[in-house]
Structures are given as structure tokens and as C-alpha cells.
Amino acid sequence: MLNGIDVSAWQGTIDWKKVKDSGVEAVILKAGGSDDGFYTDSKFETNYNGAKEVGLKVGAYYFVGSQFVTRADGEADALRFLNIIKGKQFDMPVYVDVEATRPEDKEGTTNATSAFCLYMEQKGYFVGIYASEVSGFRDRLNDSKLGSFTHWVACYGDEEPAIKYGGWQYSSSGKVNGIDDNVDMDKFEDYSGVIIKGGFNGYANKIKQEAVFPSKKVIEIKHKSNDEIANEVLKGLWGNGDDRKKKLNDAGYDYSAIQEIVNNKCKAKQTITYTVKSGDTLSYIADMYGTTYQHIADINGIKDPNVIYVGQVLKIK
């Protein structure tokens, strides 16, 4: 796990070199929100540039307000978030922060959260949800419908959250060199390899830049065989449809040749299996294999198509 913090304008001016020298490896930055009108955090640009400059792994979050209660609200806030983070690259997930909604709006907030995350995924982002273990994921959300998205869980103290998490905020009163005020302390799974390799969170642009301007080394690209890439496609590592085509072409691969191999591999097996990853939905998996989410649900005995979990092995015909 990475040693992490999360910050906003409340932390004031930050000395990012001192922060890194203190042992911090990752930071999640507040980008903005809808809890007080629609706004961009006043320190977001400064914090992004400072954290990137010293080589920290960076993610971002968007704080939603109490009116976050419909799928339309979720998509609208996702679009606002995208406009704030446009043109930037994030090594860590980008999150929707759900802590200001009303418990009585639980189902509506769940629908809005799902819509927010799905919209971000469609735009090429590795997205997650931030909330408190009890007052958030239990009281404000129907988490059984959101298990496919990585969770960043607020649970203060030494005892880890009881729910599966990719990020754990264990204190709100930490002290870190380079930050004058208290700061939230976190532990994070290192998703940077998956994000960069998959071209998520703005890194598709960097992959393309690397191919066009090889003197500007951003990340190292090692070309694999078409068969190796086809196997990765079947595992869901290169997205779907036009998104897959763009990522493969941007990375210098022959999309048509790889897709032909993928199609032949699918035809060669009457039944194949797929292991669910963070961010997957049945609709996404169905599109990947040219079938329907209802069909996958039926042959796997899934009663609620909205409920799948990371590590679940699905049969696909």
C-alpha cells in the first residue's frame, strides 16, 4: 500500500518537496464540487503542479452536494468534474466524494453515484467512490449496487474497514512536513500501473505523444506481439469499441489485426470465462464480447444485473 494524503484549499500553501521527503507517496487532490454552488477548488491547479513536479502519484476527487439524487445529477456532476480535470494526467483513481447527501435520499444518491461513475468510465477514467464506512457506504448508499467501483473508505483508527477497499482514510488529524494544518492520512492500492498501461485518466494522450515524439519520454512503451495484446483485450485491459480502437492505434498497434485474433479466439471457445475487475459492469463486459448483459446474467444465475463483484468468474457463451 502507498502512504498517502488528501488535500484541498483548507491546507493552504503546501511545500510539496517537504511532503515527499516525509515519506508521502500519493495524494488525492480536491478538484471541486457541487456542495456550494459549482466550483473549482482554489488550490487545485497549484497543488496539481506542485505534486506532479516532485514526482508524487496524483489522483483527484469531486465533492457532491445534497441535491445529488438522480442519474441526471450524476452525469451533470461528472461532466463538471471532467471540465475541471481536462488536460491533466492522474496516476491514481479519480473519485466522487459522497458525504454531504441525505440518508433519506439513499436510493437516489445510489443512482446518481452509479451514473457519475459510469459516465467517467465512458470517458476513459478509472473512477472510484469516497465515503465513510458507516454513514456513507451503509447509510447514504446502497453499496450492493456499487461494488464494481473501487472504494476509498473513511474509517478512523487502527482497525481496517470491514468492507473491501482500495483506499483507506484512517485519520483526519495527521501531521506532515510541508503542511501547516492537519491533513487526512491514507493508505492506497497502487493503481498507477493499470491506469498508465490502460491509457486511463488522461494517459492516452501521453502514450500518443510518446509515439509521435520519442525524444519526449513520458512512459516506456514496449510493443508486444499481436497475440499477447489480443489476450489482454480479452481480459478487458484495452477497453471496448471505438475506445479500444483508439487506444490500440495510439499505442502503435494494428487494431484490425488484433481484433481479428480476438474474434477468432472467441469463436474457438464455445464457452469462455471472464474475471470481473474493478469498474466492470455487466453491460461493459457484454459489449466486449458481443452479447447482452441479460444473457450473461442468465447463464451465471445472477438475479440482479447491477450486482457483480471484483474477482467473480463469469461464464460467457
Side-chain angles (χ1 to χ4, degrees):
M1 300 288 282
L2 299 173
N3 293 320
I5 59 174
D6 57 275
V7 302
S8 69
W10 286 104
Q11 276 69 45
T13 300
I14 296 173
D15 186 326
W16 286 103
K17 184 177 185 306
K18 288 183 178 179
V19 169
K20 183 178 182 182
D21 289 346
S22 72
V24 171
E25 300 168 288
V27 58
I28 310 298
L29 308 173
K30 184 175 184 179
S34 59
D35 56 307
D36 185 18
F38 304 119
Y39 63 92
T40 299
D41 186 85
S42 62
K43 289 290 187 179
F44 176 57
E45 291 288 338
T46 301
N47 285 338
Y48 175 84
N49 292 330
K52 280 287 190 177
E53 184 176 358
V54 300
L56 292 177
K57 295 179 179 181
V58 178
Y61 73 93
Y62 183 92
F63 192 112
V64 297
S66 61
Q67 300 305 308
F68 188 72
V69 293
T70 67
R71 300 193 70 83
D73 293 333
E75 292 185 357
D77 268 334
L79 181 58
R80 295 181 187 105
F81 189 23
L82 287 169
N83 286 334
I84 294 171
I85 65 177
K86 182 179 179 180
K88 294 178 171 58
Q89 286 78 35
F90 299 95
D91 323 88
M92 300 295 287
V94 295
Y95 297 92
V96 55
D97 181 332
V98 183
E99 57 182 297
T101 58
R102 296 181 294 261
E104 57 265 33
D105 293 328
K106 183 174 182 176
E107 287 305 315
T109 300
T110 299
N111 290 335
T113 301
S114 175
F116 182 104
C117 292
L118 290 173
Y119 192 94
M120 295 295 294
E121 284 188 340
Q122 290 168 6
K123 298 302 181 181
Y125 285 83
F126 191 105
V127 63
I129 304 164
Y130 168 88
S132 172
E133 179 176 24
V134 177
S135 65
F137 286 107
R138 189 191 70 182
D139 296 343
R140 284 175 167 79
L141 294 166
N142 183 349
D143 195 34
S144 66
K145 296 182 178 181
L146 301 169
S148 61
F149 306 110
T150 186
H151 287 15
W152 174 19
V153 184
C155 178
Y156 299 153
D158 296 328
E159 188 172 344
E160 296 185 20
I163 62 176
K164 184 176 176 61
Y165 66 89
W168 171 25
Q169 186 185 82
Y170 61 88
S171 174
S172 61
S173 56
K175 295 292 185 182
V176 172
N177 289 341
I179 300 177
D180 293 333
D181 205 347
N182 290 346
V183 64
D184 296 333
M185 305 298 294
D186 305 275
K187 295 286 186 181
F188 293 108
E189 293 285 349
D190 188 353
Y191 291 109
S192 60
V194 173
I195 288 170
I196 295 173
K197 183 178 180 180
F200 303 119
N201 293 7
Y203 272 99
N205 294 332
K206 283 198 170 185
I207 292 173
K208 184 174 182 179
Q209 183 187 56
E210 170 84 0
V212 177
F213 304 109
S215 62
K216 296 182 178 180
K217 293 293 182 182
V218 179
I219 59 174
E220 182 180 4
I221 296 179
K222 296 182 179 179
H223 278 260
K224 301 178 182 179
S225 70
N226 284 353
D227 191 69
E228 288 177 302
I229 297 300
N231 288 333
E232 291 185 357
V233 168
L234 289 171
K235 293 177 182 177
L237 300 180
W238 289 87
N240 187 51
D242 291 340
D243 179 51
R244 176 192 298 172
K245 183 175 182 179
K246 183 178 186 305
K247 288 176 182 177
L248 288 170
N249 287 337
D250 285 350
Y253 293 108
D254 185 336
Y255 167 78
S256 298
I258 291 171
Q259 191 60 47
E260 183 177 359
I261 296 172
V262 170
N263 293 340
N264 289 335
K265 285 178 179 286
C266 288
K267 292 176 183 177
K269 295 183 178 182
Q270 188 174 16
T271 301
I272 61 174
T273 60
Y274 178 84
T275 302
V276 177
K277 306 184 306 304
S278 176
D280 280 345
T281 64
L282 279 190
S283 295
Y284 174 84
I285 297 169
D287 287 345
M288 190 189 311
Y289 291 102
T291 184
T292 67
Y293 75 86
Q294 296 96 330
H295 180 66
I296 297 177
D298 288 342
I299 65 175
N300 288 278
I302 298 174
K303 295 181 179 179
D304 186 347
N306 291 313
V307 181
I308 57 175
Y309 56 88
V310 174
Q312 183 177 5
V313 177
L314 302 175
K315 293 184 293 184
I316 301 174
K317 292 185 179 181

